[in-house]
Amino acid sequence: MAIMGRSGNPAKRALQDAALARARAKEAASLIRATFYCDESGYTGANWADADQPVFVHGGWLVVNSARGGILDEMLALRERFGLIGGELKWAKVARRRNSSAIYRNLFELMLKHGALPFFFVMDKDFLLAAKTVETFFDPAYNRHLDPGFTGAYEEKKQLAEELLPAKEILAEFATMHREGVVPPRERVGALAEMIAEWFELGGTQWVAETQRDYSDHELDDLRSEFGATNSMRSTTGHSLPGLMQLLEGFMRPRAIALRILHDNLTRFDDLIEFVQRLLRPPGPMDSMKLGNGSFYFSMPTVTGFDLVDSKSEPLVQLADLLCGFVRTVFTKVKNGEELDDDELAICSDIAMVHVEYYCWDANMPEAMWESFATQGWAELRRRFGS
């Protein structure tokens, strides 16, 4: 029996197949081949309350393959100019220089000149703790006081996280339970729910407080199981990598890009890597859904591969390390209210510009940090370009 859409005549079918092969070859030839070089900075595993590393950044550079040679040549020249010859290029090494931001500004502008785009995800760990507390205790699956539709109430949840941010005792207890990685006793979870109720009660939102009272034993058992997740899913990487993949897919879908991802080595993340690999498939009938102002994708047909590499042997992954380290340094300063120097401001203005133009980065951070960054980044843009 002939396959639907193909001729039953073998000769005619051969002609059809040859035409299809030519069409696919032409389509493949028209694709832009690119690589995303990826790393992270500020990783503290499941310890989200590490005061020495309050910000985590995961990201890198999307580079058209034809630009790679020119980037490497100019990168080598800059290394010679700034005395960075020999060994692996790491932000931890560059950051010790007095002119670290000037060095990085040259490297950053080099990448932009060659059409490379920075993609990254920023996480303020205090805000991440507050958001994770809300996701856990305000989940309709465990909390009968909440309508099932509250699962998608992202703006309301964000507001609750903002209100929890000053609750240091609550966040410290949640952080400890999260770091331990074991299912805590029912009484301990119930006590934390009561602390949350009292906090919102003091803040004058009685209805929110009431959602955290009168849990049944069954609900508490379901809720406390959330704390027994795998190590990778309790890490910042377990949350940032899926978000980063969504940013990439959202950028590539309207464009003829075939992307390979090269990520610095990840150890003990087998389940997360398996999750990513499952995304690399052709789109299905239900391939995306609207989420806020954007879309959430269930597949990544534009990605041709996801591979782990040793950064020592891949210079552009080293540039991803520099990007993440620099961005982490800047957002830590923003978080702490510290002044940025002229080179940092210049890069921030470019970062602000590409965010609006390409939506190539995003962040989980409180509104105050967004406003502080935007104020500095856009003010520098106006100063530089007079608009």
Side-chain angles (χ1 to χ4, degrees):
M1 183 174 65
I3 298 174
M4 183 68 71
R6 297 178 72 206
S7 172
N9 182 309
K12 189 174 181 180
R13 187 166 65 242
L15 289 173
Q16 290 176 337
D17 290 346
L20 180 60
R22 286 194 300 271
R24 285 174 174 168
K26 182 178 180 181
E27 180 184 358
S30 68
L31 288 174
I32 298 171
R33 302 287 173 175
T35 304
F36 181 63
Y37 301 91
C38 188
D39 205 348
E40 55 189 23
S41 182
Y43 178 75
T44 54
N47 180 15
W48 295 2
D50 189 328
D52 295 328
Q53 300 275 4
V55 174
F56 172 77
V57 178
H58 196 168
W61 289 100
L62 193 155
V63 179
V64 175
N65 291 351
S66 59
R68 177 183 168 88
I71 290 173
L72 290 177
D73 289 343
E74 293 189 43
M75 177 184 172
L76 180 59
L78 283 176
R79 292 191 68 169
E80 291 174 346
R81 173 182 164 189
F82 289 109
L84 296 169
I85 297 300
E88 185 177 4
L89 194 58
K90 301 284 287 183
W91 176 250
K93 183 189 300 182
V94 174
R96 291 195 290 268
R97 302 288 192 96
R98 284 190 303 173
N99 60 340
S100 61
S101 53
I103 293 172
Y104 189 66
R105 181 178 179 180
N106 279 270
L107 287 165
F108 188 88
E109 291 176 352
L110 157 67
M111 297 300 284
L112 294 185
K113 184 181 80 171
H114 284 276
L117 267 181
F119 280 77
F120 57 86
F121 214 95
V122 181
M123 289 183 168
D124 172 65
K125 293 178 189 174
D126 288 335
F127 189 73
L128 192 60
L129 274 171
K132 184 65 174 175
T133 303
V134 170
E135 285 291 340
T136 303
F137 284 87
F138 291 84
D139 187 338
Y142 312 135
N143 192 324
R144 69 182 185 279
H145 299 293
L146 295 167
D147 185 270
F150 198 75
T151 300
Y154 299 105
E155 290 303 317
E156 291 87 342
K157 287 180 178 180
K158 183 178 179 182
Q159 183 58 42
L160 290 174
E162 293 273 2
E163 292 177 30
L164 267 182
L165 201 53
K168 302 302 182 186
E169 188 178 356
I170 291 172
L171 298 188
E173 173 64 355
F174 187 92
T176 300
M177 294 164 67
H178 178 80
R179 184 176 66 249
E180 289 170 352
V182 295
V183 177
R186 183 188 295 162
E187 295 73 22
R188 188 177 181 187
V189 176
L192 182 54
E194 181 58 32
M195 289 170 64
I196 296 171
E198 291 174 359
W199 176 264
F200 282 103
E201 200 166 49
L202 287 171
T205 47
Q206 186 63 37
W207 77 268
V208 177
E210 292 307 316
T211 66
Q212 299 307 309
R213 294 195 167 115
D214 302 320
Y215 278 103
S216 68
D217 288 348
H218 177 72
E219 287 173 323
L220 284 176
D221 286 342
D222 284 345
L223 193 153
R224 68 194 185 102
S225 67
E226 282 284 298
F227 292 94
T230 63
N231 287 337
S232 64
M233 296 314 296
R234 288 186 296 112
S235 71
T236 44
T237 304
H239 292 261
S240 61
L241 184 55
L244 187 57
M245 300 288 278
Q246 291 293 318
L247 284 175
L248 287 166
E249 186 65 20
F251 174 80
M252 293 183 299
R253 285 246 174 153
R255 298 169 174 88
I257 299 176
L259 187 73
R260 181 187 178 204
I261 298 176
L262 295 183
H263 197 297
D264 191 26
N265 275 331
L266 292 170
T267 56
R268 299 186 299 277
F269 282 90
D270 292 349
D271 55 339
L272 182 59
I273 294 169
E274 182 182 344
F275 165 78
V276 170
Q277 295 287 2
R278 287 200 302 269
L279 290 174
L280 311 187
R281 64 178 187 270
M286 174 64 176
D287 189 51
S288 65
M289 68 176 185
K290 296 297 292 182
L291 191 63
N293 294 325
S295 296
F296 183 88
Y297 302 102
F298 298 108
S299 68
M300 298 190 69
T302 58
V303 178
T304 61
F306 180 95
D307 298 296
L308 302 179
V309 297
D310 186 343
S311 59
K312 292 184 178 65
S313 61
E314 181 43 77
L316 296 191
V317 171
Q318 295 173 34
L319 288 186
D321 173 271
L322 293 183
L323 172 70
C324 293
F326 172 83
V327 171
R328 178 178 59 81
T329 298
V330 163
F331 276 93
T332 300
K333 282 188 171 184
V334 170
K335 176 183 175 72
N336 295 332
E338 298 175 30
E339 187 175 345
L340 303 179
D341 65 33
D342 289 344
D343 292 305
E344 290 169 334
L345 284 170
I347 299 171
C348 283
S349 68
D350 288 331
I351 288 174
M353 184 168 57
V354 297
H355 181 271
V356 172
E357 188 72 21
Y358 299 108
Y359 187 53
C360 55
W361 64 271
D362 205 346
N364 278 336
M365 60 186 183
E367 199 61 36
M369 280 182 69
W370 275 109
E371 291 175 358
S372 178
F373 174 81
T375 298
Q376 297 181 75
W378 286 113
E380 179 62 14
L381 268 179
R382 287 192 294 270
R383 188 191 70 77
R384 288 169 67 191
F385 300 107
S387 58

